[in-house]
Amino acid sequence: AQSVTQLDSHVSVSEGTPVLLRCNYSSSYSPSLFWYVQHPNKGLQLLLKYTSAATLVKGINGFEAEFKKSETSFHLTKPSAHMSDAAEYFCVSYNKLIFGAGTRLAVHP
Amino acid sequence: DGGITQSPKYLFRKEGQNVTLSCEQNLNHDAMYWYRQDPGQGLRLIYYSQIVNDFQKGDIAEGYSVSREKKESFPLTVTSAQKNPTAFYLCASSRTAVNTEAFFGQGTRLTVV
């Protein structure tokens, strides 16, 4: 069975500091993996996607993620957090659209 | 404009009544999905359909039913057998069931009183 695990339910950072949201996957093959963001009272928005073309994927709003097969990870990063980044983030495996439990990112002034 | 539409945005029902949530897409997508979102639990898959006239149970299908008679429509019925129906329900569609981006509706918040 395929699954994704988001290792942190909550992450809190100060504005201007780096962001790291962790995601591990389990699969017998290299999956397609995505990161989505959900702002309060808004729909889900695609941040970026990995589909085996390149291991480092750049997304919107300065986010990027690196696929590491040896670590079965697809962590989401951003060099400098902005207040508007506060939201819930989901790592998603694209076989039957399996969601991780989500990580709530808080950004403090 | 192409997209995926859920209606209504808010829905109230009395306990013991069945209720059907609507999901329509005009993206010509083969695959459609229903999720339930509860605080602190992310999105859990209820049912999905890879193609018209076919659907499969997800992780939490008990107390729910679906149909996929038309490609553009995937209604979800929350039956009286669902023990905790109050939740936020999200519908999604994708071109295929594997490796393609999904598009999400704005969700329906169901409250059972």
Side-chain angles (χ1 to χ4, degrees), chain A residues 4 9 11 27-28 30 47-48 63 68 71 83 104 108:
Chain A
V4 289
S9 58
V11 170
S27 175
S28 57
S30 290
L47 270 180
L48 50 81
F63 283 94
K68 292 186 177 179
E71 299 176 10
M83 296 295 289
R104 185 164 294 278
H108 302 289

Side-chain angles (χ1 to χ4, degrees), chain A residues 3-72:
Chain A
S3 68
V4 289
T5 303
Q6 291 183 244
L7 299 171
D8 308 292
S9 58
H10 292 84
V11 170
S12 182
V13 300
S14 298
E15 192 175 19
T17 64
V19 175
L20 170 64
L21 306 181
R22 298 183 294 166
C23 173
N24 283 91
Y25 70 91
S26 65
S27 175
S28 57
Y29 55 90
S30 290
S32 286
L33 294 165
F34 295 68
W35 277 97
Y36 279 85
V37 59
Q38 186 180 35
H39 286 94
N41 300 316
K42 291 191 177 179
L44 282 150
Q45 180 183 20
L46 179 67
L47 270 180
L48 50 81
K49 59 184 178 182
Y50 165 75
T51 55
S52 76
T55 56
L56 183 62
V57 182
K58 292 188 184 300
I60 62 171
N61 300 336
F63 283 94
E64 62 181 39
E66 187 172 7
F67 178 80
K68 292 186 177 179
K69 189 173 181 179
S70 59
E71 299 176 10
T72 61

Side-chain angles (χ1 to χ4, degrees), chain B residues 75-94:
Chain B
L76 173 75
T77 297
V78 184
T79 75
S80 56
Q82 168 50 233
K83 293 187 174 65
N84 297 298
T86 295
F88 186 63
Y89 291 88
L90 272 169
C91 179
S93 72
S94 61

Side-chain angles (χ1 to χ4, degrees), chain A residues 95-97, chain B residues 4 23 25 28-35 45-59 61 65-76 90-98 100 102:
Chain A
N95 185 357
K96 292 183 289 186
L97 216 55
Chain B
I4 181 164
C23 179
Q25 53 97 1
N28 200 33
H29 285 170
D30 282 325
M32 297 186 75
Y33 313 79
W34 272 107
Y35 294 88
L45 182 64
I46 304 172
Y47 269 97
Y48 67 100
S49 168
Q50 296 183 328
I51 199 165
V52 66
N53 290 324
D54 180 69
F55 51 83
Q56 307 291 330
K57 290 182 180 180
D59 298 324
S65 66
V66 293
S67 62
R68 187 85 188 278
E69 296 174 2
K70 297 186 293 183
K71 188 175 187 178
E72 60 269 24
S73 179
F74 192 41
L76 173 75
L90 272 169
C91 179
S93 72
S94 61
R95 187 170 54 81
T96 67
V98 181
T100 58

